[in-house]
Amino acid sequence: MSSITLKSDREIEIMRQAGRITAAARSLAREMVTPGITTAQIDREVRRFIEKSGATPTFLGYGGYPASVCLSVNEEVIHGIPGHRVLRDGDIVSVDVGATYKGFVGDCAGTYVAGTASEEAKRLIEVTRQSFFEGIKMARVGNRVGDISHAVQEYVEKNGFGVVREYVGHGVGSVMHEAPEVPNFGSAGRGPRLLKGMTIAVEPMVTQGTWEVRVLRDGWTVVTKDGKLAAHYENTIAITDGEPEILTYAEDLYA
């Protein structure tokens, strides 16, 4: 990765606009996660929405990825490719979406239930979501990236779940992946110092069992090694003089 790029107030305003589009696209996908729908239908509507909003789907063609949204079901952690799969009652679906607007990227994710899920699945989703908020409590000028990482890991493992090691959060800006890497595990007091103007994606990827993962033959879909459930939650944030600002803000409780 390149060196860390600090954003100006003007650039952060554009990222705020990109973030609103991205968050709204995630909310649209969340509403569509219902039994009987195909993942390809969700992808098609998300792409249509992003383009109607004057943005472009960041994921489409990124590294050869063939869709506009990643839809990862049950034991799939990230990078699930939309297709003919029909969602069933009780499936949990991780929606990861990016939109590029006026040259800047918004990136966010969340895990949602098709129909009625088990209590354990719902707890996994809630712990994953809350671990993001535990992490960004540390996202203040003068702290280090490792302070965020440690807070996420501590909360997840305290609740009996695993934290994926092979994939991490990252800087976001004029491209989707910038410096620095933002792991969801590690030691406090380590890593780059947080500075005003940094924009990063904090994205816990949490597993019901082992944190170990593998990639399927399609070269994209990452699944848990033990076949147990996984959840994903992400927002793009900006480091400010005070509290971090969530740039991928959605009115429906950061859905």
Side-chain angles (χ1 to χ4, degrees):
M1 280 191 179
S2 59
S3 60
I4 295 170
T5 304
L6 302 182
K7 313 304 187 300
S8 67
D9 290 345
R10 182 190 67 82
E11 289 170 328
I12 288 178
E13 174 53 32
I14 296 171
M15 290 190 68
R16 207 174 276 126
Q17 295 171 48
R20 280 195 286 266
I21 295 167
T22 311
R26 175 180 54 182
S27 295
L28 170 64
R30 184 193 66 164
E31 293 300 318
M32 293 184 71
V33 171
T34 52
I37 199 167
T38 68
T39 52
Q41 286 174 285
I42 298 173
D43 178 69
R44 183 166 58 249
E45 291 305 314
V46 168
R47 178 177 181 177
R48 183 175 296 156
F49 174 83
I50 291 171
E51 291 176 343
K52 278 181 62 177
S53 301
T56 56
T58 311
F59 295 1
L60 185 61
Y62 186 88
Y65 186 73
S68 297
V69 60
C70 297
L71 295 170
S72 306
V73 183
N74 296 334
E75 76 281 3
E76 297 173 355
V77 184
I78 51 173
H79 302 163
I81 300 173
H84 299 299
R85 181 172 189 162
V86 177
L87 297 182
R88 299 177 301 177
D89 186 62
D91 283 343
I92 67 171
V93 184
S94 294
V95 174
D96 190 1
V97 62
T100 303
Y101 180 76
K102 294 185 178 179
F104 286 89
V105 175
D107 187 10
C108 63
T111 301
Y112 311 112
V113 177
T116 305
S118 68
E119 289 304 312
E120 180 70 358
K122 288 190 283 188
R123 197 171 81 85
L124 170 67
I125 292 169
E126 179 51 37
V127 167
T128 303
R129 181 181 179 279
Q130 185 58 35
S131 71
F132 164 86
F133 290 100
E134 296 299 320
I136 68 166
K137 288 177 183 177
M138 307 305 296
R140 289 177 167 274
V141 168
N143 285 351
R144 293 186 180 272
V145 168
D147 297 321
I148 299 173
S149 306
H150 178 73
V152 171
Q153 181 181 15
E154 185 175 53
Y155 183 80
V156 169
E157 293 182 347
K158 180 178 71 177
N159 280 278
F161 295 115
V163 177
V164 171
R165 307 291 203 272
E166 292 184 43
Y167 299 88
V168 299
H170 49 89
V172 185
S174 58
V175 295
M176 185 162 57
H177 293 107
E178 294 184 349
E181 289 192 340
V182 185
N184 299 301
F185 61 94
S187 301
R190 297 288 188 87
R193 187 81 65 184
L194 298 175
L195 303 171
K196 181 183 177 183
M198 287 175 66
T199 48
I200 58 176
V202 178
E203 54 174 319
M205 290 158 269
V206 178
T207 59
Q208 191 178 30
T210 178
W211 53 263
E212 294 181 296
V213 297
R214 63 186 180 90
V215 181
L216 298 185
R217 288 183 181 178
D218 63 18
W220 285 102
T221 308
V222 178
V223 300
T224 57
K225 268 194 177 176
D226 58 11
K228 293 186 177 180
L229 297 176
H232 184 198
Y233 189 80
E234 173 187 24
N235 280 304
T236 302
I237 69 168
I239 305 300
T240 73
D241 284 330
E243 295 284 340
E245 179 184 355
I246 297 176
L247 298 175
T248 42
Y249 176 81
E251 291 292 342
D252 45 0
L253 300 177
Y254 305 120

